[in-house]
């Protein structure tokens, strides 16, 4: 089965610019997650979707970050405007509804803000 | 919150066993996981353990859980060069994962 797809793989922007990331989860996975992984740290959950509804966005900086999953499949994460501290790898993961919650991760998008 | 701590680096000789340690503060997690991240790649689930278990073995991997001390470890037997990667300990609560900072394992010949 195809894995979690993300694009672009790399993005370089200047501060105050906008950027968007795209994720296509594994077919049939109802739950989708966006994580931010800053260099040298573990991934930190930004937002969790169940189908097209938001389950948890408590760690999402809502003044500049937004995410949507309109049809319950693909998702986009947007940053507007970007700050230097947003430089990180943005990981998308999806999960079937299982007892042990295995999450399948995409390769990530590496964002550099100059 | 679920604070999760790991040592940052581990160097091991090829063929030896590796032991990666993790400590945590929140004991209410249902499942505890070990993920592997290779350069430029996403995270790959290696193994997991249910919180009412003490040990789980899966081929070269052995997970030990000490709930009293809130300590989780991953032992990799016969470590190979392909095992060089960053290993993350993660805890699950309410279908959300909390990760440690990762342990970079370097396998030397």
């Amino acid at each position: 089965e195809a894995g979690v797809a993300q694009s672009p793989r790399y993005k370089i922007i200047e501060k105050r610019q906008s950027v968007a990331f795209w994720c296509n989860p594994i077919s049939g996975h109802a739950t989708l997650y966006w994580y931010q992984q800053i260099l040298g740290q573990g991934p930190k959950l930004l937002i969790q979707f169940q189908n097209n509804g938001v389950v948890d966005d408590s760690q999402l900086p809502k003044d500049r970050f937004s995410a949507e999953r309109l049809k319950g499949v693909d998702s986009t994460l947007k940053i507007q405007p970007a700050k230097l501290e947003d430089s990180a790898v943005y990981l998308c993961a999806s999960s079937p509804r299982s007892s042990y919650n295995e999450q399948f991760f995409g390769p990530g998008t590496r964002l550099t803000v100059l | 919150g679920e604070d999760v701590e790991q040592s940052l680096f581990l160097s091991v000789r090829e063929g030896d066993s590796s032991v990666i340690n993790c400590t945590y503060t929140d004991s209410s997690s249902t499942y505890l996981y070990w993920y592997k991240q290779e350069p430029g790649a996403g995270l790959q689930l290696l193994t997991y353990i249910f919180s009412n278990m003490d040990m789980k073995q899966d081929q070269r991997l052995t997970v030990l859980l000490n709930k009293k001390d809130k300590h989780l470890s991953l032992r990799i037997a016969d470590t190979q060069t392909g095992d060089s990667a960053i290993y993350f300990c993660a805890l699950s609560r309410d279908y959300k994962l909390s990760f440690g900072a990762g342990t970079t394992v370097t396998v030397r010949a």
Side-chain angles (χ1 to χ4, degrees), chain B residues 87-101:
Chain B
Y87 291 81
F88 292 93
C89 164
L91 277 60
S92 175
R93 186 177 179 190
D94 298 331
Y95 286 88
K96 292 191 286 285
L97 295 180
S98 293
F99 288 87

Side-chain angles (χ1 to χ4, degrees), chain B residues 11-35:
Chain B
S11 179
V12 62
R13 196 164 48 190
E14 188 175 10
D16 288 351
S17 292
S18 310
V19 179
I20 307 166
N21 295 300
C22 172
T23 58
Y24 56 93
T25 55
D26 187 343
S27 57
S28 64
S29 298
T30 308
Y31 291 94
L32 300 94
Y33 308 81
W34 285 103
Y35 278 84

Side-chain angles (χ1 to χ4, degrees), chain A residues 9 33 35 37 40-45 48 56 91 97-108, chain B residues 8 30-31 33 35 37 40-45 48 86 88 92 94-102:
Chain A
R9 290 296 311 275
Y33 308 81
Y35 290 87
Q37 186 179 18
Q41 299 181 18
K44 183 187 82 171
L45 180 68
Q48 176 186 351
D56 185 350
L91 295 165
R97 196 73 178 173
S98 70
S99 61
Y100 65 93
N101 191 31
E102 178 173 3
Q103 295 186 21
F104 296 81
F105 283 81
Chain B
L8 292 181
T30 308
Y31 291 94
Y33 308 81
Y35 278 84
Q37 186 176 37
L43 279 71
Q44 172 197 357
L45 179 64
Y48 66 95
I86 303 175
F88 292 93
S92 175
D94 298 331
Y95 286 88
K96 292 191 286 285
L97 295 180
S98 293
F99 288 87

